[in-house]
Amino acid sequence: MSHVPIFRVGMTALASLLLGLCLTLAGCGPSSDAGARVLKVALIPADGGTESGTRADFAPVFDAMGRHTGLTFELTVAQSYGAVVEALCSGQTDIAFVGPVTYVQAQRRGCTDFLAVAVDRGQSVYYSALVVRAASPIRQVADLRGKRVGFGDSNSTSSFIVPIDMIRKAGIDPTRDLARVALIGSHASSLAALISGQVDVAALSLDSLDKALASKVVKASDIRVIARSQPIPYPPFVMRRSLDDATKQTLRVAFDGIAHMPGIDPALIRGYGGKPVDDYRSDFDPLAYDAVAEMVDGVTPDMRDEILAAASRR
């Protein structure tokens, strides 16, 4: 797995020493072994934002946990969704922020446990969307036949798996009925391809679209959403299954109510795409991701190969 330079957050050396003394003499807080460890955190390249920006989105969360648990965290941004799964399963990382599909893949390999998920206005969901230029004659998914469609990473939930499911349910074969299948690598790149006229339709998450609108990458008057998916369970944080139980419990407790920890600015608690969220919770039911697993299974190995082959043709 390729890593970018590490952004380290956590307690100062003095604070760590004092906490270790407290743990040894009084038995307070997490175990001294947990407090002394450095936990590695891998973040998926979720929406094509900058690596430093992605780290900055999550740094306040882990800084808060570092100050309140004695743990130290090293944050890196992976080069691909698949690289995060490999890092988890090979023991190269301890915690990861993953997409729902990536979560399903890691779960099926038996190397991760659910950790926590963001909560926004009482919900832990997000949406995928199919977007066209404002002047496009395309009005609904059924109109995509013979059109050029841009997707993100082939392991992305909201810029590949869910849009493919939406297209298939409209009676369109993505490998035979589309004029072009473009796997462009990220949500931002898919939208950029739409804006530049390289594709007729872009598949991406609504969170990524909102981020692009807020940063004025595109004007709301220049694009139009033709379809929005059903709610998708929010991208979760997961942890390496082989972590010791005490560390796992420390992490779960730290995530719960993190936005309300003393000295924490709730506005700095962010989630997918840098979007501000209300809080994190560890008691989310992982069975919610079963619907995503069904969509993953719907894209069979043969279908995936055909889609990748179609994407390689210009």
Side-chain angles (χ1 to χ4, degrees):
M1 173 179 173
S2 299
H3 290 292
V4 296
I6 290 171
F7 181 88
R8 179 171 290 195
V9 294
M11 296 186 67
T12 65
L14 177 59
S16 296
L17 180 62
L18 292 174
L19 179 63
L21 182 61
C22 165
L23 299 173
T24 302
L25 298 179
C28 58
S31 70
S32 57
D33 286 343
R37 293 182 57 189
V38 175
L39 296 181
K40 296 181 179 180
V41 182
L43 309 170
I44 58 170
D47 67 351
T50 64
E51 291 174 340
S52 60
T54 299
R55 289 197 304 275
D57 287 340
F58 291 103
V61 173
F62 288 96
D63 183 61
M65 289 198 296
R67 285 188 278 124
H68 286 269
T69 66
L71 294 167
T72 298
F73 303 92
E74 291 179 351
L75 276 60
T76 61
V77 181
Q79 299 302 307
S80 70
Y81 289 67
V84 175
V85 177
E86 294 305 321
L88 283 164
C89 293
S90 64
Q92 296 179 49
T93 198
D94 304 297
I95 302 167
F97 179 71
V98 298
V101 166
T102 314
Y103 169 73
V104 169
Q105 293 168 339
Q107 278 291 99
R108 287 179 171 178
R109 290 181 58 175
C111 55
T112 62
D113 286 331
F114 182 86
L115 175 52
V117 69
V119 181
D120 183 28
R121 287 169 288 188
Q123 295 187 311
S124 296
V125 299
Y126 74 128
Y127 299 87
S128 175
L130 293 170
V131 183
V132 300
R133 293 183 294 279
S136 172
I138 300 172
R139 297 292 170 183
Q140 56 186 345
V141 183
D143 297 335
L144 266 58
R145 197 179 305 274
K147 300 299 188 296
R148 303 167 299 166
V149 183
F151 300 92
D153 188 289
S154 63
N155 290 309
S156 168
T157 306
S158 53
S159 69
F160 183 73
I161 293 294
V162 172
I164 288 291
D165 184 69
M166 294 165 67
I167 290 170
R168 292 178 63 220
K169 285 178 177 176
I172 296 174
D173 185 324
T175 63
R176 295 178 175 81
D177 296 335
L178 300 178
R180 181 189 172 197
V181 173
L183 282 174
I184 307 173
S186 72
H187 300 252
S189 296
S190 179
L191 182 61
L194 175 70
I195 296 168
S196 65
Q198 298 176 54
V199 297
D200 305 304
V201 184
L204 68 161
S205 74
L206 280 181
D207 283 359
S208 294
L209 179 59
D210 288 343
K211 186 174 183 178
L213 291 169
S215 60
K216 303 187 187 307
V217 170
V218 62
K219 296 179 181 178
S221 58
D222 291 337
I223 52 95
R224 179 163 39 84
V225 174
I226 62 164
R228 186 175 83 159
S229 72
Q230 293 296 310
I232 309 167
Y234 203 77
F237 274 101
V238 298
M239 52 189 167
R240 179 166 51 84
R241 181 162 292 175
S242 56
L243 277 176
D244 62 277
D245 290 340
T247 300
K248 289 180 181 179
Q249 183 59 20
T250 296
L251 291 170
R252 291 188 183 102
V253 171
F255 262 107
D256 285 332
I258 193 169
H260 307 289
M261 285 183 176
I264 300 303
D265 181 355
L268 295 179
I269 303 302
R270 298 179 181 273
Y272 173 69
K275 180 180 179 180
V277 295
D278 296 332
D279 212 338
Y280 277 86
R281 56 184 292 200
S282 66
D283 63 347
F284 187 76
D285 187 357
L287 293 179
Y289 295 94
D290 285 356
V292 175
E294 292 178 7
M295 285 186 274
V296 171
D297 292 338
V299 181
T300 64
D302 287 346
M303 181 184 299
R304 182 181 289 270
D305 289 343
E306 289 182 10
I307 292 173
L308 294 175
S312 67
R313 296 191 296 267
R314 297 290 180 180

